């Protein structure tokens, strides 16, 4: 598979949520003009952005924190309506599940992924020993997250919810976790064990 890579801008001074009374809309805005660039690669599924995004969707504050850490979904400001739409599509797509033994899921996933529009081909010098390589470049952070979902489907990674903190994570190939993993992290496994020990 060609490497999938995105150069994106993050806002080192953070992102705030602001309600525009006239437009009756909630916006996410960078707190300053400062930007730093950050490169993303879709190479494994141990901590994919798409699941970080879905895991941070419950409150406006958590959404703003996600954008501060990883950048906005699209280039400029984004409204909470856009964010809700994106979350809806991504949530449906991650829940389609592994494609192995389920050919009927392919059409469903194809439909959902067609919401992500442009990815283009390009080149960089980040191959083995800084050699030239061909890469796929998603257009935006949203498209990169769609690429992560496609990769999870490709390797039949299973979506799981942590038994301790309820965060979503993938298990199986390329995830760094066994298929049978019940906790998102060592920390959650230790916390669950402590709870069990305390409950005895
Ligand atoms: Zn957890």
């Amino acid at each position: 598979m060609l490497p999938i890579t995105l150069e994106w801008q993050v806002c080192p001074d953070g992102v705030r949520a602001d309600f525009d009374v006239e437009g009756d809309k909630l916006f996410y805005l960078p707190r300053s003009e400062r930007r730093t660039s950050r490169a993303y690669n879709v190479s494994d599924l141990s901590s994919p952005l798409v699941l970080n995004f879905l895991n941070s969707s419950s409150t406006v504050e958590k959404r703003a924190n996600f954008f501060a850490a990883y950048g906005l979904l699209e280039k400029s400001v984004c409204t909470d309506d856009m964010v809700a739409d994106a979350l809806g599509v991504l949530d449906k797509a991650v829940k389609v599940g592994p494609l192995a033994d389920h050919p009927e899921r392919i059409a469903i996933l194809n439909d959902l992924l067609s919401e992500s529009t442009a990815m283009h081909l390009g080149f960089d010098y980040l191959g083995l020993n800084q050699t030239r390589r061909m890469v796929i470049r998603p257009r935006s952070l949203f498209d990169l997250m769609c690429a992560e979902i496609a990769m999870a489907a490709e390797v039949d990674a299973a979506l799981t919810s942590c038994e301790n903190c309820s965060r979503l994570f993938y298990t199986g190939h390329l995830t760094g976790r066994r298929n049978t993993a019940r906790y998102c992290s060592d920390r959650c496994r230790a916390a669950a064990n402590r709870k069990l020990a305390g409950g005895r």
Side-chain angles (χ1 to χ4, degrees):
M1 197 174 82
L2 291 175
I4 302 171
T5 168
L6 172 72
E7 279 275 331
W8 203 237
Q9 304 239 292
V10 299
C11 315
D13 296 319
V15 167
R16 67 190 165 90
D18 200 13
F19 194 76
D20 172 36
V21 180
E22 253 172 55
D24 194 24
K25 267 186 172 35
L26 183 66
F27 284 89
Y28 296 94
L29 304 158
R31 286 184 188 274
S32 76
E33 298 289 315
R34 258 189 348 134
R35 299 287 183 277
T36 48
S37 55
R38 191 163 165 179
Y40 297 114
N41 293 288
V42 180
S43 54
D44 72 62
L45 297 165
S46 57
S47 182
L49 283 184
V50 65
L51 297 189
N52 283 343
F53 184 43
L54 292 173
N55 285 329
S56 64
S57 65
S58 56
T59 66
V60 165
E61 193 191 358
K62 284 184 185 172
R63 292 177 185 192
N65 288 343
F66 173 88
F67 297 136
Y70 301 106
L72 293 170
L73 287 186
E74 306 284 338
K75 279 251 156 65
S76 48
V77 287
C78 63
T79 66
D80 201 50
D81 297 356
M82 278 171 58
V83 174
D85 286 351
L87 281 167
V89 172
L90 296 171
D91 184 61
K92 270 190 215 149
V94 296
K95 286 179 180 158
V96 170
L99 303 180
D101 307 322
H102 291 280
E104 78 283 0
R105 291 179 180 170
I106 290 180
I108 301 170
L109 191 62
N110 280 348
D111 256 9
L112 290 165
L113 291 179
S114 68
E115 300 264 343
S116 92
T117 48
M119 299 211 188
H120 58 265
L121 291 173
F123 296 90
D124 65 20
Y125 279 92
L126 299 174
L128 271 183
N129 302 321
Q130 312 284 297
T131 49
R132 189 190 63 209
R133 62 176 189 172
M134 193 194 285
V135 296
I136 300 175
R137 295 191 193 283
R139 183 187 49 105
S140 68
L141 201 64
F142 175 76
D143 290 349
L144 181 90
M145 291 194 268
C146 291
E148 289 177 331
I149 293 171
M151 178 185 251
E154 167 75 4
V155 301
D156 293 314
L159 186 69
T160 310
S161 170
C162 176
E163 288 184 16
N164 183 57
C165 72
S166 305
R167 289 172 69 84
L168 298 172
F169 62 98
Y170 282 123
T171 63
H173 187 47
L174 293 185
T175 70
R177 298 186 190 88
R178 292 164 204 257
N179 294 332
T180 51
R182 291 155 57 202
Y183 303 105
C184 69
S185 60
D186 288 343
R187 222 174 73 183
C188 274
R189 186 175 45 226
N193 285 340
R194 271 198 305 276
K195 274 184 210 162
L196 274 176
R200 240 182 260 149

